[in-house]
Structures are given as C-alpha cells and as structure tokens.
Amino acid sequence: MPRVSPERLQSRRREILAGARACFARYGYEGATVRRLEDEIGLSRGAIFHHFRDKESLFLAVAEDDAISMADTVAKHGLVQVMRDLAAEADSPETTGWLGTQLEVSRRLRTEAGFAREWEDRKQAIAQATRQRLARQLEAGILRDDLPVEVLAGFLELAYDGLITHLAMGSNSSNLDTILDMVETAVRRR
Amino acid sequence: MPRVSPERLQSRRREILAGARACFARYGYEGATVRRLEDEIGLSRGAIFHHFRDKESLFLAVAEDDAISMADTVAKHGLVQVMRDLAAEADSPETTGWLGTQLEVSRRLRTEAGFAREWEDRKQAIAQATRQRLARQLEAGILRDDLPVEVLAGFLELAYDGLITHLAMGSNSSNLDTILDMVETAVRRR
C-alpha cells in the first residue's frame, strides 16, 4: 500500500462523509444501502470501509461532524442564526443533508436508550454554546432580563426543533423570515 | 351472527382504536405487529379486522380521530391550549399515544407523496381552525395587529411542532409552562 499523507487522508475522510451525508438524507439510514453509499460517494465499499468500520460508524461520524459544526455556529452567531441559515437555504443539498442527520439522531434519541447516553456529550455541547451566548447577550443588555437564560434557551430550542420538522416536511416557508423575527424579538429586551 | 346495535358497534370501534393507538405509540407503526395489536386491544385478529380492513386502515382511523379531535380543541380553545394540555400530561398514556400518531403522520408526510395528498384535507382543517380562532381574537383586540394572522399562525405551528419533538424525546420539561407563556405572549397585543 502506498504511503498517504495525513492531509490526503483527512481530505478523503471528508469526501466520504459528504457523500454519506447526502446518501443518508436521500434514502434515510435504513435505505442507505452499501451499494447506494458506493454510488453517492463514488468509491468502492473496500475504500469506504477502510476509513470507517461500518455503516453505523459512518453515520455517527456524519452526526458528530454536524453537532460540532452546530455548536461552533451557535457559539459564534447564535441559535437564531442557525435557523435563519437553514430557512434561507431550505432546498440546498447542505440543508437536506443536515435535516436527514437531525431526524435520524432524533429518532435514535427517542427509541434507543444506549444512543441517548452516548449522545449526551454532543447534546450538552450545543446546549452550553446556546446558554453561553445568551449569557453574553444578557450582559450586553440585548436580552430581556425578566426571565432566566435557561427559559430563553428552552424557547429557542423549541423553535429550532419546530423548524427542523417544518423544513423536513417540505412545508411552504414563505413566512419563515418573519416568523424567525418573532422568535428573535421574543427573547430580546423590548 | 347476532344482530349488534349501532351504539354497540360504535363503542366496539372506539375500544379497538384506543388499544391500537396505545400499541402504535409503544412499538411504532412497524413494530405494532398483529400479535401485539391483539394483546393490547384484548380482541382476536378476526374481531379486530372485522371492523377495520387491515393495520393500515386501523392506523389511518386512529390518525383521523386525532386530527378531528385536534381541530375541535383548536377551534374551541386555541393551539396554545393544545400545547398546554400536552405539556401538563406529558407522561400520560393519552399524550404518549398522541405523540406516536403525530410522529408517524410526520414521517409519512416526509417520505410518502401519496399520503401527503390524502392527508391534505385533515391538515387544512386544523390549519383553518387555528386561523379562524386567531381572526376572532384579533377582532376581540387580544392579538397583536402589526403582523398578518398567517404569520402568527405559522409561529404557533412552529412551536407546536417543536413541542411534539421535545416531548417525544422525553426531554426535561420543567420550564415548559413558562416557555409556553412566552409563545402565547409573542402573539398577543402588548
């Protein structure tokens, strides 16, 4: 086997994850057969499973990638901005991929106690990013101060979960911008 | 076969639907095997499928029942009240049954174009009940009047979808009452 540079390895992994994300989004976890993963990623099963042990590991890697990127965006720009980005790009392959992963994670959280335990750290990282940003906004005087940050965070998370369902059902989204303005105003100082 | 009164027939149907709802909630649509349906309903498959053609008809009857009952509660008490009832009874068998049906309907709306067409009337009935009630509240001067009713309805629907996801994941709901107050305040006149 030829030696491969770490950069090359990293870029190959990213390539595989992007294809896998698209495949999970299109067919669902169950429907994403190895054959379909090969087609979407453009590599043989041998090459794919050289980098990831199995389909399950591949899905977890996609989901972790998304969770890290979400915690990062929330910390920098807030949960409302994550929602605005999703609403603005509702039909893009990126959003479709994102929704697919979020729905599969939700399904597992509901139905698999073991997964819920494994996923706890990821969930906490996103929850904490949301609360830390809200706390900074409170200090800056942008946020309403008559309710605990925990309640404001819960409100934003409810809206986020609702948006995921809404977009996943391909619902009409002509008013989404104004609705997200309402969500943002509800947590701000009057 | 002995003659059965229409009342008797009706009560038998309701009995079957209640058991089927509980069974779908516990095992999901796929997991609700005929054997499990028999156990939960307490009747033989012969008796069950004398009233409903097959498992699919049984599920559709449960889902339609829920949709009618929801449109009715929304018309009388509003969508926020539906949310408050669900939050207050988050662990009851009724709420668990309700969530199970809603999630299965969502899943089909996402993945089955045929079901989405069939379900359109049910969806419209609930959407219309929401809008009609909001229009009455607007006339009564309770609602904010700087945004179209359509936007306020969309905001409430987003919160409702978020609540379903939140409760279905068995999330901590200690702040739900205050969060639902925020939702209600956001559509009201200041």
Side-chain angles (χ1 to χ4, degrees):
Chain A
M1 220 174 189
R3 290 181 57 196
V4 177
S5 71
E7 293 73 26
R8 191 58 218 265
L9 206 67
Q10 194 53 36
S11 108
R12 173 51 61 96
R13 272 181 63 101
R14 270 202 301 274
E15 203 181 306
I16 294 175
L17 288 182
R21 179 179 286 109
C23 192
F24 290 134
R26 182 170 309 166
Y27 301 108
Y29 180 78
E30 295 304 332
T33 58
V34 171
R35 170 68 66 90
R36 282 171 170 166
L37 283 164
E38 289 182 315
D39 286 350
E40 192 79 43
I41 297 170
L43 291 172
S44 72
R45 58 193 72 199
I48 297 171
F49 296 120
H50 173 67
H51 293 269
F52 296 91
R53 205 179 53 212
D54 49 21
K55 188 169 109 172
E56 174 69 11
S57 315
L58 201 48
F59 173 74
L60 288 179
V62 167
E64 288 197 359
D65 237 36
D66 283 4
I68 290 167
S69 129
M70 179 160 167
D72 195 51
T73 311
V74 167
K76 282 191 198 128
H77 309 290
L79 193 51
V80 174
Q81 192 55 47
V82 174
M83 294 190 233
R84 289 197 192 278
D85 291 347
L86 288 170
E89 303 280 330
D91 299 321
S92 71
E94 287 73 22
T95 299
T96 312
W98 182 271
L99 294 174
T101 312
Q102 297 273 299
L103 290 171
E104 176 64 16
V105 166
S106 290
R107 194 188 66 72
R108 290 174 177 222
L109 286 175
R110 279 198 312 276
T111 56
E112 298 169 19
F115 179 77
R117 278 191 300 276
E118 274 176 49
W119 195 251
E120 191 55 34
D121 287 352
R122 299 290 166 201
K123 214 175 123 186
Q124 284 303 324
I126 298 169
Q128 217 176 356
T130 305
R131 279 147 191 81
Q132 280 169 357
R133 195 181 144 86
L134 286 174
R136 284 200 305 278
Q137 288 190 304
L138 182 67
E139 257 179 67
I142 301 167
L143 233 56
R144 61 192 285 179
D145 55 8
D146 59 335
L147 287 173
V149 159
E150 186 56 34
V151 169
L152 304 184
F155 172 83
L156 293 181
E157 285 159 358
L158 199 76
Y160 176 79
D161 286 341
L163 183 68
I164 294 293
T165 304
H166 179 89
L167 293 177
M169 291 202 275
S171 306
N172 175 341
S173 46
S174 59
N175 289 314
L176 266 187
D177 282 347
T178 323
I179 291 170
L180 293 178
D181 288 343
M182 284 184 73
V183 170
E184 184 152 43
T185 310
V187 301
R188 294 226 161 168
R189 181 189 285 272
R190 303 272 152 75
Chain B
M1 217 170 192
R3 290 181 57 199
V4 177
S5 71
E7 292 74 25
R8 191 58 219 265
L9 205 67
Q10 193 55 34
S11 108
R12 175 51 60 97
R13 272 182 63 100
R14 270 201 302 272
E15 204 181 308
I16 295 174
L17 288 183
R21 179 181 286 109
C23 193
F24 290 135
R26 181 170 310 165
Y27 302 108
Y29 180 78
E30 295 303 333
T33 57
V34 171
R35 171 68 66 90
R36 282 171 169 164
L37 283 165
E38 288 182 315
D39 286 350
E40 192 79 42
I41 297 170
L43 291 171
S44 71
R45 59 193 73 198
I48 297 170
F49 296 120
H50 173 66
H51 293 270
F52 297 92
R53 205 179 52 214
D54 49 21
K55 188 169 110 172
E56 174 70 10
S57 314
L58 200 47
F59 174 75
L60 288 178
V62 167
E64 288 197 359
D65 236 37
D66 283 3
I68 290 167
S69 131
M70 179 160 169
D72 195 50
T73 310
V74 167
K76 282 190 197 130
H77 309 289
L79 192 51
V80 174
Q81 191 56 47
V82 174
M83 293 190 235
R84 290 198 192 277
D85 292 347
L86 288 171
E89 304 280 330
D91 300 321
S92 71
E94 288 73 24
T95 299
T96 312
W98 182 270
L99 293 175
T101 313
Q102 296 273 298
L103 290 171
E104 177 64 16
V105 167
S106 289
R107 193 189 66 72
R108 291 175 178 221
L109 286 175
R110 280 198 310 276
T111 56
E112 297 168 20
F115 180 77
R117 277 191 300 276
E118 273 176 49
W119 195 250
E120 191 55 32
D121 287 352
R122 299 289 166 201
K123 212 174 125 187
Q124 283 304 323
I126 298 170
Q128 215 175 356
T130 304
R131 279 147 190 79
Q132 280 169 357
R133 196 182 142 85
L134 285 174
R136 284 201 305 278
Q137 287 191 306
L138 182 67
E139 257 179 66
I142 301 167
L143 234 56
R144 63 192 284 181
D145 55 8
D146 59 335
L147 288 173
V149 159
E150 185 56 33
V151 169
L152 304 184
F155 172 82
L156 293 180
E157 286 159 357
L158 199 76
Y160 176 80
D161 286 340
L163 183 69
I164 293 293
T165 304
H166 179 88
L167 293 176
M169 291 203 275
S171 305
N172 175 344
S173 45
S174 60
N175 289 313
L176 267 187
D177 282 347
T178 323
I179 292 170
L180 293 178
D181 289 342
M182 284 183 73
V183 169
E184 185 153 42
T185 311
V187 300
R188 294 225 161 170
R189 180 189 287 270
R190 302 274 149 76

